[in-house]
Every structure is written in structure tokens, then in C-alpha cells.
Amino acid sequence: MPKKLLHSSFNQRIEFQTVSFVADDLTGDTIEKPVRLFECWCAPQRRTMSQQFQLTGLGLEDTLTVAIRHNSNVSKAILAKYKNETYEVVSISPDDTNNYMAYDYVVIRKKKGSMKNG
């Protein structure tokens, strides 16, 4: 049976984004531009030491897991803005059961590279 989350656990804001590619006016190069999909409250999930060791073996030790109320638009998300940092969406575990309290679990990793916090 899935873990029940308290309403008070949803105490952080997260914004999910997709990416559009646009031409840079100065150089003509194609650049990534984040496009907001939606924003919601999330509940950061704590991991046990056993879970952390398992993730290390998979190369996912630098990721965070957050729970959100079920939202079918999360499947379109490529990026997430969380605590003023930009993260890549690594995986999504949606709950399509149509239960009253359905949660999606989203694994995110801090984005490295070309795009600044935007």
C-alpha cells in the first residue's frame, strides 16, 4: 500500500517546464528557451541509507525525489525549477488510479551546462 502523505508535507513550490528552441537574434544559433507548463506544491521525499546505496549503483545519487498531487501534464515536463535552481526531470512515476489522493513521484537532477537559471 502506498505511503500516505500529509497535506502539510506539501510545503515547497516547484515549477515544471518544457523547452522550445528559438533562434538567437545576434548569432542565429538555436538556443533552448524554457516554457512554463504549471506550478504546484510538492513534498520532498527523504531516502533511507539503503535507498541511497541502491541509487549510487545506478548513478542516481545526485537526484532528488518530490511528490506532487497527480497532474497528467507532468509527463510533458523536461525541466523543473525548484528552490531557485533549474533541474532536469530524470523520471516520472505517475499515479493514474483516479483515486482521491493520487500522487506522482518525480525524480529531478540539477541541470548542468548551457542554460542558466531561467
Side-chain angles (χ1 to χ4, degrees):
M1 182 169 187
K3 179 171 102 172
K4 300 257 186 209
L5 297 173
L6 299 173
H7 293 292
S8 60
S9 299
F10 291 83
N11 59 5
Q12 300 290 323
R13 294 297 282 175
I14 189 165
E15 178 181 308
F16 290 99
Q17 304 170 338
T18 189
V19 175
S20 69
F21 295 94
V22 296
D24 187 324
D25 293 336
L26 298 175
T27 63
D29 292 339
T30 302
I31 57 172
E32 293 180 358
K33 180 181 177 192
V35 177
R36 182 175 189 239
L37 288 171
F38 67 96
E39 187 175 346
C40 63
W41 292 100
C42 71
Q45 299 298 292
R46 183 182 298 184
R47 295 180 180 150
T48 64
M49 287 303 291
S50 174
Q51 290 171 328
Q52 192 63 31
F53 290 139
Q54 289 174 340
L55 292 173
T56 299
L58 297 171
L60 296 173
E61 66 274 3
D62 61 342
T63 60
L64 301 171
T65 302
V66 296
I68 63 169
R69 291 287 305 270
H70 176 67
N71 187 324
S72 59
N73 288 329
V74 77
S75 64
K76 301 173 192 168
I78 296 172
L79 301 172
K81 190 163 186 182
Y82 178 66
K83 293 188 175 182
N84 292 322
E85 296 282 343
T86 301
Y87 290 80
E88 297 173 311
V89 174
V90 176
S91 69
I92 302 166
S93 178
D95 184 351
D96 292 325
T97 60
N98 207 19
N99 288 338
Y100 167 68
M101 295 300 284
Y103 304 111
D104 297 335
Y105 290 89
V106 184
V107 178
I108 58 176
R109 174 185 290 138
K110 197 173 283 189
K111 182 159 173 67
K112 301 173 185 136
S114 63
M115 190 164 42
K116 295 185 174 113
N117 296 341

